[in-house]
Amino acid sequence: MSRSALLFDLKKVLCYKAVALTALLLLSYGLSATDLNLKYLPNQAVKVGDGKYQLAKDFDTSVKQIRALFAGDANIKEDLHINEDNFRVQVFYNLKESAPWHKIYVISWDDKVFARVFK
């Protein structure tokens, strides 16, 4: 009888550990399910659409902040595409194809600054 009680206690402990492990895995998945693109953008970036983020700073400050995030990375290049009246676009692109993103466009239009992330 003590042997069956021991097996029952062992099953309870293993079941408890399995439930605790499952809960921890779900919690870690929920924490990591945040938008990964936000780590490539300045801290004040707010998601406004699929792959579209609004930046709180002006265009030049936002570009400097993004440039600072990628400082020293030889795989990141940048280029100013368009500089028209009230419309500016700066693109950052990753030369590594295995990266999670390929291009980040920083767009200034009507005194608002947006970032678009493309994979």
Side-chain angles (χ1 to χ4, degrees), residues 20 27 42 50 54 60 85 88 107 109 112:
L27 180 63
D50 189 31
Q54 186 166 6
D60 293 324
D85 292 334
R88 294 168 68 187
I107 304 163
W109 180 55
K112 294 181 183 175

Side-chain angles (χ1 to χ4, degrees), residues 53-55 57-59 62 106-108 111-115:
Y53 305 85
Q54 186 166 6
L55 305 176
K57 304 287 184 182
D58 63 300
F59 181 81
S62 297
V106 181
I107 304 163
S108 174
D111 296 328
K112 294 181 183 175
V113 181
F114 294 97

Side-chain angles (χ1 to χ4, degrees), residues 68-84:
L69 291 172
F70 299 120
D73 191 342
N75 290 316
I76 310 298
K77 302 295 179 191
E78 65 176 287
D79 193 18
L80 179 65
H81 274 299
I82 301 172
N83 191 2
E84 302 270 336

Side-chain angles (χ1 to χ4, degrees), residues 3-72:
R3 187 174 189 184
S4 65
L6 182 63
L7 285 176
F8 179 72
D9 287 340
L10 182 61
K11 285 182 183 179
K12 273 184 18 183
V13 169
L14 290 176
C15 185
Y16 170 76
K17 287 184 178 182
V19 168
L21 179 64
T22 303
L24 287 174
L25 286 173
L26 289 174
L27 180 63
S28 68
Y29 176 76
L31 292 175
S32 67
T34 57
D35 194 348
L36 295 177
N37 291 329
L38 286 175
K39 73 179 185 178
Y40 304 113
L41 298 173
N43 292 336
Q44 78 276 4
V46 177
K47 186 172 184 172
V48 292
D50 189 31
K52 184 178 180 182
Y53 305 85
Q54 186 166 6
L55 305 176
K57 304 287 184 182
D58 63 300
F59 181 81
D60 293 324
T61 305
S62 297
V63 168
K64 286 178 187 177
Q65 288 176 337
I66 294 173
R67 190 179 290 142
L69 291 172
F70 299 120

